[in-house]
Amino acid sequence: MSAAESTDESIPRLPFDQSGLMELPPRFAELRENDPIVKVLTPVGDPAWLVTRHEDVKKLISDARLGRSHFDPPNAPRYSAAVILGGPRGEYETEVVDHTKARQVLIPSFSAQRMRSLRPRIQRTVDELLSRFQELPQPADFHQEIAKRLPVFVISELLGIPFADREQLGTWSQGTFHTSDQQLAVTAMLEMREYIAKFIELKRAEPADDVITDLVLKQQETGFPPDDAIQTYVSTLIIAGFETSVSFTDYGTLLFLRNPDQRALLEADPGLAPRAVEEILRFAPASDACITRYARTDFEYKGTRISEGDLIALSPQTANRDPRVFREPERFDITRNENPHMTLAYGLHYCIGAPLVRVMLDVLYQTLFARLPGLRLAVPIDELVSRNNVLTGGLTSLPVAW
Ligand code: HEM
């Protein structure tokens, strides 16, 4: 029987119970050991195959037999009610071609040279945010003042969006990820597209060194991408980049505050920051949401028969703690040499913003504890609350003192 045909009420249902803010729900690890490809119900009650081992997540995440679109979108099984990422995306017939074109157009905008030129501007942003933060009465909210602002500022800088509009963009981006209020998500998306449309005109008139200009110039040279595709690409970058980065900025800081030995290592040798960033990405339980795919054909995978249209839920967080791949996987260890985590995906769909995430977190963690050596959590950990209504998770606030 395929996942889509199942009516069995005994099958596990996501989300699984979490034992603490810093842990992944233990059920994930149990399944990884005993039932690595298992039928589950998604948070909205639809059937899916949950995949938890590193080897399988890595294979299936870039398997060409899987895609993000569905042949019957209104009746496709959904992961959540969220407008973005909750269900199928893209056109079934043209998904592969569309996806390839999008990557070809976007990847050059994240070149090593662009990242090098952004680094001093990111450093300036981090310095300014921290200077302002230090002036605030204590305790102050790291989430509100730093984690919510840094990615929005950095991604806006990359895109070429003016300073004054950045907070608004952050609000739209958070709105699009809302899992319970669909109207809010749709309105946020439409308003953001309208805003980007105006911006395309502006960049045509006044080109600069930014991603929207790159896309406009590409259009002038080759006729592709048309304006509506530019709107889609830019909103995708905002949506894919903002909220994910906010969550990891919160959790990265929290991980250091909860692991003084690792913080001491970083303070003694800021050169460890790049490895620390990989470990934050591997270990932070920022969200337990899965990466979703739909089968584009019937096939068998390790004895499980998958049918065309079935939903497959890949858990990078559980794969990231697979003892078959990571030594002492439940330990936050910023000195790890090998860290092939799945947080930024792999292969065909590897996160396009990965170089930017790395520079941004690297600059932040090379700077944060040097500027605020007394930084500490200002409330007991069990008073922190996760953002359950946002697909990318994260914290509602992170009160700290210094
Ligand atoms: C810590 C922050 C981030 C995390 C954890 C993250 C994670 C991911 C993951 C897991 C995927 C693959 C999704 C899938 O296969 O369905 C992805 C794709 C993508 N990410 Fe990120 N991302 C982050 C930041 C960013 C940033 C800052 C940007 C851009 C400004 C960005 C742009 C993209 C784009 C455009 C894709 C689509 C790639 C494709 O479809 O081939 N991401 N990201």
Side-chain angles (χ1 to χ4, degrees):
M1 195 189 276
S2 79
E5 291 160 344
S6 170
T7 53
D8 186 349
E9 289 189 0
S10 66
I11 55 183
R13 181 166 179 157
L14 296 164
F16 297 147
D17 289 339
Q18 208 175 1
S19 50
L21 195 75
M22 301 304 283
E23 277 96 49
L24 277 184
R27 189 76 193 268
F28 279 116
E30 278 166 36
L31 290 173
R32 184 185 58 218
E33 296 319 305
N34 304 319
D35 228 344
I37 302 171
V38 65
K39 199 182 299 169
V40 295
L41 295 178
T42 67
V44 287
D46 286 348
W49 298 108
L50 176 68
V51 179
T52 43
R53 281 195 188 158
H54 189 276
E55 181 191 351
D56 300 321
V57 169
K58 184 173 170 183
K59 273 200 187 118
L60 292 174
I61 214 166
S62 60
D63 190 316
R65 293 171 298 184
L66 308 180
R68 290 169 177 153
S69 61
H70 194 276
F71 60 83
D72 182 14
N75 296 307
R78 293 187 67 86
Y79 187 79
S80 80
V83 175
I84 306 290
L85 304 180
R89 284 167 288 156
E91 300 297 322
Y92 195 62
E93 303 305 329
T94 57
E95 177 184 353
V96 175
V97 175
D98 295 344
H99 178 240
T100 309
K101 277 190 191 165
R103 286 190 74 90
Q104 277 169 352
V105 168
L106 288 174
I107 285 174
S109 292
F110 289 80
S111 67
Q113 189 195 342
R114 163 96 23 89
M115 295 306 121
R116 268 197 303 277
S117 79
L118 268 179
R119 195 175 175 104
R121 285 185 272 165
I122 296 177
Q123 183 70 60
R124 205 165 53 234
T125 303
V126 166
D127 288 339
E128 283 167 10
L129 285 174
L130 290 177
S131 295
R132 222 171 73 171
F133 193 63
Q134 279 175 300
E135 297 304 315
L136 294 174
Q138 301 186 42
D141 186 1
F142 184 90
H143 168 72
Q144 198 61 33
E145 303 295 331
I146 311 282
K148 268 185 84 172
R149 293 207 162 111
L150 177 63
V152 175
F153 282 27
V154 168
I155 297 167
S156 302
E157 190 83 31
L158 176 87
L159 295 175
I161 287 169
F163 193 79
D165 300 342
R166 293 178 183 183
E167 303 266 347
Q168 175 60 58
L169 224 49
T171 308
W172 281 327
S173 159
Q174 190 175 344
T176 61
F177 270 114
H178 218 279
T179 49
S180 47
D181 189 339
Q182 293 230 351
Q183 192 49 48
L184 186 143
V186 171
T187 308
M189 188 66 186
L190 288 176
E191 288 179 0
M192 184 156 69
R193 283 184 75 95
E194 221 169 274
Y195 169 85
I196 296 165
K198 282 189 215 139
F199 231 81
I200 296 171
E201 292 308 324
L202 213 103
K203 295 287 171 183
R204 256 188 211 115
E206 284 178 41
D209 178 16
D210 57 52
V211 172
I212 303 183
T213 304
D214 289 353
L215 296 171
V216 167
L217 291 180
K218 191 102 183 167
Q219 183 190 62
Q220 285 166 355
E221 280 163 28
T222 67
F224 186 86
D227 278 12
D228 67 330
I230 299 185
Q231 279 180 47
T232 303
Y233 294 166
V234 174
S235 50
T236 304
L237 290 174
I238 293 168
I239 291 164
F242 278 12
E243 292 303 318
T244 42
S245 306
V246 172
S247 300
F248 279 88
T249 308
D250 275 336
Y251 265 94
T253 302
L254 184 56
L255 278 168
F256 280 118
L257 298 182
R258 298 285 295 170
N259 292 277
D261 59 329
Q262 300 301 305
R263 172 182 174 169
L265 285 174
L266 180 69
E267 282 175 323
D269 178 7
L272 279 173
R275 281 202 228 169
V277 169
E278 296 311 312
E279 183 64 348
I280 290 167
L281 290 169
R282 181 188 77 86
F283 193 75
S287 155
D288 60 8
C290 293
I291 297 176
T292 53
R293 294 285 186 268
Y294 291 98
R296 296 182 67 84
T297 179
D298 296 350
F299 68 100
E300 195 165 306
Y301 184 79
K302 295 195 173 170
T304 300
R305 191 166 67 77
I306 315 258
S307 300
E308 184 181 6
D310 279 2
L311 176 60
I312 292 136
L314 308 164
S315 174
Q317 302 82 356
T318 317
N320 286 347
R321 294 172 183 224
D322 189 336
R324 290 161 198 80
V325 175
F326 299 96
R327 193 179 32 87
E328 290 191 77
E330 298 298 333
R331 207 168 94 77
F332 177 62
D333 173 6
I334 69 164
T335 64
R336 261 174 222 284
N337 271 326
E338 296 284 307
N339 203 338
H341 60 76
M342 290 290 118
T343 305
L344 301 170
Y346 180 77
L348 278 180
H349 293 276
Y350 185 62
C351 173
I352 289 179
L356 188 68
V357 174
R358 293 195 160 109
V359 182
M360 182 174 70
L361 295 181
D362 184 40
V363 171
L364 176 65
Y365 292 113
Q366 294 229 19
T367 315
L368 182 62
F369 299 109
R371 288 285 302 270
L372 297 170
L375 194 69
R376 61 192 183 280
L377 202 52
V379 293
I381 179 111
D382 51 17
E383 283 184 20
L384 298 177
V385 177
S386 356
R387 297 194 298 176
N388 287 331
N389 60 354
V390 179
L391 197 65
T392 46
L395 301 170
T396 54
S397 73
L398 181 55
V400 293
W402 53 92

